[in-house]
Amino acid sequence: MTHPTGPNDDDEHRRPDLVRQNRIERRRAKIREEIERNRRGEYTVPTWVLTLILVLVVAGWLALVFLS
């Protein structure tokens, strides 16, 4: 059912400009929190970097075994 008294409050939150602004603010807050964690020394190496290093080590070892 619709509300006869006026527009729904949910319509206000679904406007594209507000959604975009909220998304930008959440992204900025996330980046700000990450920078604060890094400054406190809670930095961790991303998983993709660790995976890349592992693949390179295994590939190098296999190349050494099969090419020598």
Side-chain angles (χ1 to χ4, degrees), residues 6-9 11-12 14 21 32 36 43 48 53 59-60 64 66-67:
N8 193 351
D9 289 337
D11 293 340
E12 183 72 22
R14 293 182 186 182
Q21 184 179 9
R32 200 174 306 118
E36 290 172 2
Y43 178 76
W48 68 269
I53 292 170
L64 183 66
F66 288 115
L67 297 177

Side-chain angles (χ1 to χ4, degrees), residues 26-39:
R26 285 192 309 265
R27 179 71 179 145
R28 285 181 182 163
K30 189 175 178 182
I31 291 171
R32 200 174 306 118
E33 289 169 4
E34 182 178 356
I35 290 171
E36 290 172 2
R37 278 193 310 269
N38 292 345
R39 287 181 179 167

Side-chain angles (χ1 to χ4, degrees), residues 10-26:
D10 291 339
D11 293 340
E12 183 72 22
H13 297 292
R14 293 182 186 182
R15 288 189 5 215
D17 55 340
L18 289 179
V19 170
R20 185 172 33 254
Q21 184 179 9
N22 289 338
R23 189 178 302 144
I24 291 170
E25 288 301 319
R26 285 192 309 265

